[in-house]
């Protein structure tokens, strides 16, 4: 057929869906043409936040209050500044559903708390938070949220100290973090504390990206930031917008890019704090009826077919990139956006990716979002949290893709947990392991990980706790370690290394997992008497030289350093299996310049074990998980040089190695 999209040229199995892929390209192109015709460019289109909301204009010496609420009957600005008088400051409806009020400078000031009293289409008046407000605060006594005007004096504006270009990130090595739980004390922690105390740890380990969760304002702390209420609001639990800028600026000074874990896949149901039923119509921002309800997440689903909704979300992309200098995003819940069934059906046929149950409007929105992000920040890192494996998600739009740079390899951590829960070590299958780690679409970069925040939530366990369980309470002292701890330390290192080396083009860990943080995550809630016991990071464990945690931390630093030094993950298709023996439990492969050899055997160490190598010559050890430095037993002489020799009865060359158990 003519006009074959590049995506099909790369994968002929997609040929039957070539027309659907071309239609995907055409829908995006047509939408972009419409935007350019009306607004001049996608950047100019993504400026809703500069018009709507509450803004002070120095040229006219007045405030503008604007809100899109097409079905509302009346709107007024209320707060302590006017004794909550509904009649004192009423907005006037203009065109296209926009309401407006202009006020003299002296009526409002920095830190004034306000709300909009909106009489909706249903005739009911309710106090609401403006949709584009940048600051929301919670009353300590009533726990109610209010919008807070954030307009510091010009001399108090944050002065950036460091310029940064994410182009310096050749391979994403990501440290996923949550500011509120980033300290050891049982309390909320701040942006400033994270910047001064945690960022140096991240830099020391060698990670080049920090991915921040829970930055967008959310009413319930225990939602992990995924039930967003104010999409432009910097979460005030952790500090001010200037504090967040300081954090990002300091990260840039350390050579670390910063990604926002952005939530455009759904929104909190709350009406008092969020966008739900904002104008009383029931479907202003969200799909109407049952389609607007997310059954798994108890939240609201955006209507990506509405121009105003697309503009609201695109403007949000621009806001975070420009105002706070984020270097990109990890888009949450992309699978839920891509399909009308939100990913609840099996993906057993290619039609499930291109026609059956696909939300075409959501795909067009994501294409616009990735295009805008790359326009504003040309080297932006854009990661999709997708478990469906939609072809082209991480390919350029002109090829039939969606424009993301990377996809999270979400099946990998689930596989590790399944192995640890349901199989003895001696029953692990090397063929299955290799297939799981390497099964990904060629040309679409993946971020591999053994565990993120998802694997450690209450009801589950961290990887370390699955391996060592309650022994971590009593036997992590160097003087008390036993066979359970030995096995746990060894396997924790091997699982991380083989995941990082084989399963993606980038790597991610969650804060604390680098040193085997024990137990699980649990936010303060009624069910645990509002305790912070499991909502913190116990840095004292890794800092204590008498405990074994620092061994895992030291290995993580060496592992990340090795991946960076040899640029291991920076290419597609440079990973080659060299040896796989299920009975021996040996798995060997090369990636780039390095050979990786794993012995998962629980009992047998092998002497002079022949491993095929890609080239003849001399081989030296650059990383050994059994090194005493990493809590191992130092059974391998790391200064040994291995000389290749012809592989008997086979083509090529081999080296003979001593391969200790685990």
């Amino acid at each position: 057929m003519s006009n074959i999209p590049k995506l099909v040229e790369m994968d002929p199995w997609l040929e039957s869906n070539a027309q659907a892929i071309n239609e995907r390209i055409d829908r995006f192109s047509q939408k972009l043409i419409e935007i350019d015709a009306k607004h001049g460019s996608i950047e100019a289109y993504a400026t809703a936040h500069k018009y709507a909301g509450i803004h002070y204009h120095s040229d006219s010496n007045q405030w503008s209050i604007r809100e899109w609420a097409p079905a509302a009957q009346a709107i007024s600005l209320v707060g302590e500044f006017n004794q909550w008088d509904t009649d004192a400051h009423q907005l006037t409806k203009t065109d296209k559903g926009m309401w407006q009020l202009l006020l003299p400078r002296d009526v409002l000031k920095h830190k004034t708390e306000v709300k909009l009293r909106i009489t909706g289409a249903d005739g009911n008046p309710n106090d609401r938070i403006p949709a584009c407000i940048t600051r929301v605060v919670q009353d300590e006594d009533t726990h109610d949220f209010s919008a807070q005007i954030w307009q510091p004096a010009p001399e108090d504006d944050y002065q950036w100290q460091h310029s940064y270009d994410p182009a310096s990130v050749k391979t994403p090595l990501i440290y996923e973090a949550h500011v509120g739980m980033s300290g050891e004390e049982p309390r909320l922690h701040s942006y400033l504390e994270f910047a001064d105390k945690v960022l140096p740890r991240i830099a020391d380990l060698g990670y080049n990206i920090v991915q921040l969760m829970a930055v967008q304002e959310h009413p319930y702390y225990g939602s992990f930031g995924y039930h967003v209420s104010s999409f432009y609001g910097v979460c005030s639990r952790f500090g001010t917008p200037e504090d967040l800028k300081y954090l990002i600026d300091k990260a840039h000074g350390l050579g670390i890019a910063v990604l926002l874990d952005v939530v455009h896949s759904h929104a909190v149901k709350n009406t008092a704090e969020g966008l739900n039923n904002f104008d009383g119509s029931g479907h202003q921002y969200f799909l109407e009826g049952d389609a607007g309800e997310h059954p798994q997440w108890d939240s609201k689903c955006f209507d990506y077919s509405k121009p105003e909704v697309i503009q609201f979300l695109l403007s949000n992309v621009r806001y975070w990139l420009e105002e706070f200098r984020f270097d990109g995003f990890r888009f949450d819940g992309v699978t839920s956006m891509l399909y009308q069934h939100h990913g609840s059906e099996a993906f057993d046929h290619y039609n499930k990716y291109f026609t059956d149950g696909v939300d075409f409007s959501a795909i067009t929105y994501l294409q616009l979002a990735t295009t805008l992000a790359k326009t504003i920040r040309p080297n932006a890192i854009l990661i999709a949290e997708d478990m469906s494996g939609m072809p082209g998600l991480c390919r350029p739009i002109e090829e039939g893709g969606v424009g993301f740079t990377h996809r999270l390899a979400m099946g990998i951590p689930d596989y590790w947990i399944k192995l640890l829960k349901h199989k003895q070590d001696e029953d692990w299958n090397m063929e299955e392991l290799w297939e799981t780690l390497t099964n990904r679409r060629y040309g679409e970069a993946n971020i591999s990980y053994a565990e993120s925040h998802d694997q450690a939530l209450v009801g589950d366990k961290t990887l370390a706790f699955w391996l060592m369980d309650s022994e971590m309470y009593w036997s992590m002292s160097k003087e008390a370690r036993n066979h359970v701890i030995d096995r746990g330390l060894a396997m924790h290192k091997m699982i991380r290394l083989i995941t990082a080396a084989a399963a993606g083009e980038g790597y991610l860990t969650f804060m604390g997992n680098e040193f085997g943080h024990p137990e699980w995550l649990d936010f303060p809630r009624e069910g645990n008497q509002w305790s912070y016991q499991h909502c913190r990071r116990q840095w004292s464990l890794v800092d204590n030289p008498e405990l074994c945690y620092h061994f895992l931390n030291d290995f993580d630093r060496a592992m990340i350093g090795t991946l960076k030094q040899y640029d291991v993950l920076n290419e597609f298709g440079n990973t080659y299996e060299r040896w796989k023996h299920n009975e021996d439990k040996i798995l060997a492969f090369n990636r780039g310049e390095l050979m990786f050899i794993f012995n998962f055997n629980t009992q047998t160490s092998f002497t002079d074990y022949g491993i095929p190598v890609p080239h003849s010559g001399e081989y030296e050890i650059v990383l050994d998980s059994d090194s005493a430095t990493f809590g191992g037993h130092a059974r391998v002489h790391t200064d040994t040089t291995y000389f290749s020799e012809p592989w008997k009865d086979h083509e090529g060359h081999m080296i003979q190695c001593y391969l200790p158990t685990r």
Side-chain angles (χ1 to χ4, degrees):
M1 63 175 291
S2 59
N3 196 23
I4 298 176
K6 179 72 176 293
L7 200 59
V8 176
E9 291 180 2
M10 293 178 64
D11 182 359
W13 287 100
L14 299 178
E15 186 174 351
S16 62
N17 287 283
Q19 181 178 343
I21 295 170
N22 279 325
E23 288 172 356
R24 174 194 283 185
I25 299 171
D26 292 342
R27 279 190 295 270
F28 164 77
S29 300
Q30 185 58 43
K31 189 64 180 177
L32 200 58
I33 289 170
E34 292 174 10
I35 289 172
D36 288 345
K38 276 188 181 180
H39 303 273
S41 67
I42 191 171
E43 305 102 287
Y45 181 57
T47 54
H49 62 299
K50 297 184 178 182
Y51 182 75
I54 302 176
H55 300 282
Y56 173 68
H57 305 275
S58 57
D59 55 344
S60 59
N61 204 28
Q62 63 181 357
W63 296 90
S64 67
I65 299 92
R66 299 190 183 99
E67 196 68 40
W68 177 61
Q73 296 181 18
I75 302 179
S76 58
L77 184 71
V78 297
E80 289 186 0
F81 78 99
N82 66 3
Q83 291 75 53
W84 301 92
D85 184 351
T86 304
D87 299 322
H89 298 95
Q90 297 186 27
L91 280 68
T92 302
K93 193 171 186 179
T94 61
D95 59 344
K96 299 179 181 178
M98 187 67 70
W99 295 73
Q100 177 175 279
L101 171 66
L102 301 177
L103 293 175
R105 176 181 180 176
D106 59 355
V107 176
L108 304 173
K109 60 182 180 180
H110 179 50
K111 295 188 178 181
T112 298
E113 293 184 22
V114 299
K115 291 186 180 182
L116 295 175
R117 185 157 294 161
I118 300 178
T119 302
D122 52 10
N124 296 320
N126 292 288
D127 287 347
R128 307 301 299 257
I129 305 293
C132 292
I133 202 72
T134 59
R135 173 108 170 138
V136 178
V137 292
Q138 187 175 22
D139 187 280
E140 292 183 3
D141 298 322
T142 66
H143 303 297
D144 289 340
F145 288 86
S146 296
Q148 186 179 54
I149 294 171
W150 199 256
Q151 191 73 36
E155 60 269 20
D156 295 328
D157 284 345
Y158 185 80
Q159 301 299 312
W160 294 90
Q161 302 298 312
H162 304 284
S163 59
Y164 183 82
D165 186 345
S168 62
V169 177
K170 291 184 178 180
T171 300
L173 300 167
I174 303 171
Y175 195 92
E176 184 186 36
H178 184 286
V179 168
M181 57 174 290
S182 63
E184 184 144 3
E185 296 176 17
R187 60 173 174 84
L188 284 167
H189 295 82
S190 70
Y191 298 120
L192 297 181
E193 289 175 306
F194 185 92
D196 292 338
K197 296 180 180 180
V198 182
L199 279 178
R201 292 180 182 271
I202 299 171
D204 174 66
L205 288 168
Y207 288 89
N208 53 24
I209 297 175
V210 60
Q211 180 178 298
L212 292 181
M213 308 172 64
V215 170
Q216 293 175 291
E217 190 60 80
H218 48 289
Y220 178 48
Y221 187 44
S223 75
F224 234 140
Y226 291 124
H227 277 190
V228 173
S229 51
S230 294
F231 287 79
Y232 292 83
V234 174
C235 183
S236 60
R237 290 182 179 89
F238 316 137
T240 68
E242 284 69 35
D243 295 342
L244 176 59
K245 290 176 182 178
Y246 172 80
L247 186 164
I248 295 169
D249 200 13
K250 182 153 188 176
H252 287 166
L254 292 169
I256 299 172
V258 188
L259 303 185
L260 174 66
D261 197 343
V262 72
V263 184
H264 285 179
S265 47
H266 64 134
V268 73
K269 273 187 172 180
N270 302 29
T271 53
E273 298 88 11
L275 299 175
N276 189 14
N277 202 28
F278 194 79
D279 68 354
S281 67
H283 53 86
Q284 179 185 345
Y285 284 93
F286 309 112
L287 292 165
E288 192 170 1
D290 290 343
E293 304 289 326
H294 199 298
Q296 287 83 33
W297 298 344
D298 191 32
S299 55
K300 299 297 293 184
C301 301
F302 283 107
D303 185 347
Y304 302 105
S305 69
K306 282 188 177 179
E308 297 88 350
V309 173
I310 289 179
Q311 189 177 26
F312 174 81
L313 294 173
L314 288 176
S315 300
N316 195 236
V317 168
R318 179 171 187 172
Y319 169 73
W320 292 110
L321 290 174
E322 290 188 334
E323 183 67 22
F324 292 92
R325 302 192 182 184
F326 278 100
D327 302 294
F329 302 99
R330 180 264 204 187
F331 277 76
D332 170 70
V334 167
T335 305
S336 177
M337 299 172 71
L338 295 174
Y339 310 99
Q340 294 166 342
H341 52 74
H342 307 301
S344 62
E345 297 183 5
F347 296 93
D348 51 5
H349 191 282
Y350 272 137
N351 288 351
K352 296 287 186 72
Y353 295 119
F354 297 107
T355 55
D356 301 349
V358 176
D359 189 328
F360 301 120
S361 296
I363 291 178
T364 300
Y365 165 68
L366 289 170
Q367 290 173 313
L368 291 169
T370 57
T371 298
L372 174 67
K374 292 172 185 175
T375 302
I376 294 170
R377 204 94 159 109
N379 297 301
I381 300 159
L382 304 169
I383 301 171
E385 189 209 23
D386 170 54
M387 49 70 62
S388 75
M390 174 181 275
L393 193 66
C394 302
R395 294 301 302 177
I397 295 167
E398 61 270 19
E399 295 180 2
V402 183
F404 286 99
T405 60
H406 299 79
R407 173 195 276 115
L408 285 178
M410 298 180 69
I412 304 300
D414 292 342
Y415 178 74
W416 286 123
I417 296 300
K418 183 180 72 173
L419 274 184
L420 294 174
K421 285 175 70 172
H422 301 298
K423 286 193 177 182
Q424 299 294 319
D425 297 357
E426 55 267 27
D427 295 329
W428 287 17
N429 185 294
M430 296 297 101
E431 293 183 3
E432 178 187 85
L433 175 58
W434 180 250
E435 172 65 20
T436 301
L437 292 176
T438 58
N439 182 22
R440 57 189 183 274
R441 293 189 63 80
Y442 176 77
E444 299 198 39
N446 277 238
I447 304 294
S448 70
Y449 59 109
E451 56 183 339
S452 68
H453 70 274
D454 283 326
Q455 282 66 47
L457 289 172
V458 63
D460 212 325
K461 303 175 184 178
T462 63
L463 199 61
F465 214 56
W466 275 114
L467 287 162
M468 295 174 276
D469 212 81
S470 60
E471 287 295 323
M472 297 188 78
Y473 295 131
W474 322 111
S475 306
M476 285 297 276
S477 164
K478 292 178 180 177
E479 302 301 321
R481 60 187 281 188
N482 55 30
H483 69 282
V484 174
I485 299 301
D486 276 352
R487 177 250 185 182
L489 295 179
M491 296 295 280
H492 200 274
K493 289 177 286 185
M494 293 176 71
I495 287 171
R496 281 182 288 158
L497 179 58
I498 199 169
T499 299
E505 289 68 42
Y507 177 72
L508 176 145
T509 193
F510 177 69
M511 179 175 61
N513 289 351
E514 70 276 8
F515 65 85
H517 202 285
E519 299 179 326
W520 53 87
L521 295 175
D522 190 10
F523 284 84
R525 55 188 172 86
E526 189 174 2
N528 63 19
Q529 291 75 53
W530 305 102
S531 170
Y532 284 87
Q533 176 64 25
H534 294 292
C535 194
R536 59 197 180 99
R537 297 286 89 177
Q538 299 180 63
W539 302 110
S540 59
L541 296 176
V542 69
D543 293 341
N544 188 337
E546 302 304 316
L547 300 179
C548 293
Y549 292 97
H550 80 84
F551 289 139
L552 298 178
N553 195 74
D554 294 342
F555 179 78
D556 207 80
R557 182 189 303 106
M559 178 183 80
I560 295 298
T562 302
L563 295 175
K564 290 170 71 174
Q565 179 182 349
Y566 293 93
D567 202 15
V568 176
L569 309 183
N570 199 29
E571 293 181 42
F572 291 113
N574 65 344
T575 308
Y576 300 96
E577 174 198 324
R578 293 297 169 185
W579 185 255
K580 185 171 59 195
H581 197 291
N582 199 49
E583 186 175 336
D584 292 346
K585 296 291 183 270
I586 303 294
L587 187 56
F589 60 93
N590 74 285
R591 185 160 189 183
E593 296 182 49
L594 298 187
M595 279 292 303
F596 294 86
I597 308 171
F598 292 84
N599 179 8
F600 284 98
N601 202 299
T602 62
Q603 299 181 23
T604 306
S605 297
F606 298 96
T607 303
D608 297 330
Y609 198 101
I611 298 291
V613 292
H615 307 291
S616 62
E618 300 176 9
Y619 288 78
E620 296 179 348
I621 293 175
V622 296
L623 184 66
D624 172 26
S625 69
D626 194 48
S627 167
T629 305
F630 310 133
H633 299 285
R635 291 169 290 177
V636 176
H637 295 294
T638 55
D639 57 352
T640 300
T641 299
Y642 297 82
F643 298 91
S644 69
E645 55 189 84
W647 192 16
K648 292 181 181 179
D649 303 322
H650 298 277
E651 294 182 2
H653 293 76
M654 61 173 287
I655 55 174
Q656 291 187 314
C657 306
Y658 173 48
L659 305 179
T661 58
R662 294 187 176 125

